[in-house]
Amino acid sequence: DFASRLKGLESQFESILGVEGDSNYEVFWKSSLNDRLLFWIDKNESQVDLNSCIQLIVLALSRNILRSGVKLCPSDYYSWSLDQRKVYLGASTTYQLCKSVVLENTHFEDSFYVPNWYEKYYCIIVQYERKLDTDAFSKYMHMNYPGEKPPRRAYNFRLANDIEVLTGYSNNGVCPIGEKIEKIPLIVSHRILELNDPAQIWLGGGNANVKWRVDIDEFVEKC
């Protein structure tokens, strides 16, 4: 069962302190920092993709993300309104519902490459309630380019193709942590940093049916 599968992860961490809860699995771990953390998973076994959940737990814990949660969603989740999604996830506002958008600079030129400031791909964390302005993003990156700036023609951002090849995740399941996606610079919208009470966001969890809740301060510090 799920609890025994989790116990199999003990070799990767110091110990699992227990699996408890009636409506959810509340998984208590002891990390190498001797901190206690809670990682909960919805217990509805008819929906749970155990492999996806466990992979996400391992990814989060290996990055010392000590408090986060996973929620499994039905297959028609993306046909719902943002208000319906908010209620289902238990979010306090629709502005906590976020997505990882991968942009490609189709005019990228190797000669202008500067780590973080001029790359071919970027992963942008944005709220569903707000539109990502690629022109504004291009202007910002151009304005802040260190040294002599490339010509404006060297910037043309659009949604990247081959998302699964680039990130390791399929559409609607893109998670900002993972071996492939962490090779892409990550940028968090400043609007997300303004959230509070609680300061949390919901993101894709590596599978279209898995959503990941994480505290904003921990996410910014460790991702």
Side-chain angles (χ1 to χ4, degrees):
D1 62 7
F2 185 67
S4 63
R5 292 280 297 277
L6 283 172
K7 290 293 288 184
L9 298 175
E10 268 192 303
S11 62
Q12 300 187 45
F13 305 95
E14 286 191 5
S15 65
I16 297 175
L17 301 181
V19 179
E20 306 170 358
D22 294 326
S23 60
N24 296 309
Y25 284 110
E26 296 181 349
V27 186
F28 293 87
W29 302 74
K30 181 181 178 183
S31 75
S32 59
L33 301 178
N34 292 319
D35 294 319
R36 287 176 63 90
L37 64 104
L38 169 64
F39 198 114
W40 59 265
I41 291 184
D42 186 278
K43 200 174 181 179
N44 187 344
E45 300 256 357
S46 66
Q47 297 178 19
V48 172
D49 179 333
L50 295 182
N51 288 332
S52 293
C53 291
I54 289 174
Q55 287 168 9
L56 184 51
I57 290 173
V58 172
L59 282 172
L61 292 176
S62 66
R63 287 147 182 80
N64 275 326
I65 297 173
L66 302 181
R67 294 190 68 86
S68 62
V70 172
K71 183 81 169 179
L72 278 297
C73 302
S75 59
D76 61 347
Y77 174 84
Y78 283 101
S79 68
W80 297 354
S81 69
L82 291 181
D83 278 324
Q84 288 174 304
R85 299 181 199 180
K86 178 199 75 173
V87 171
Y88 182 81
L89 294 175
S92 61
T93 170
T94 55
Y95 288 94
Q96 290 179 325
L97 310 183
C98 299
K99 55 186 174 181
S100 305
V101 179
V102 180
L103 296 182
E104 177 184 1
N105 182 359
T106 59
H107 291 180
F108 177 81
E109 297 183 32
D110 289 325
S111 59
F112 298 126
Y113 172 76
V114 173
N116 297 322
W117 287 108
Y118 188 82
E119 303 217 24
K120 188 170 185 178
Y121 298 102
Y122 290 91
C123 179
I124 318 293
I125 307 300
V126 295
Q127 296 155 306
Y128 274 96
E129 288 280 17
R130 301 188 188 277
K131 182 179 179 180
L132 176 58
D133 187 336
T134 55
D135 288 336
F137 179 66
S138 293
K139 291 176 182 176
Y140 177 85
M141 298 305 289
H142 181 259
M143 180 177 65
N144 289 280
Y145 183 91
E148 186 176 349
K149 301 185 188 311
R152 285 289 288 119
R153 61 174 171 75
Y155 295 83
N156 184 54
F157 287 103
R158 64 167 178 79
L159 294 178
N161 294 319
D162 301 322
I163 290 297
E164 191 162 0
V165 173
L166 289 169
T167 69
Y169 302 117
S170 59
N171 188 41
N172 291 331
V174 176
C175 181
I177 56 175
E179 182 179 357
K180 283 189 174 182
I181 198 167
E182 288 179 2
K183 296 176 183 177
I184 301 174
L186 178 67
I187 296 175
V188 179
S189 166
H190 70 284
R191 298 290 188 182
I192 291 173
L193 304 181
E194 298 169 357
L195 292 172
N196 53 55
D197 195 30
Q200 297 174 337
I201 53 175
W202 285 89
L203 294 158
N207 178 312
N209 295 331
V210 178
K211 302 305 163 206
W212 182 41
R213 188 211 69 218
V214 62
D215 289 354
I216 295 170
D217 57 350
E218 197 166 37
F219 177 74
V220 171
E221 178 186 353
K222 298 174 180 178
C223 291

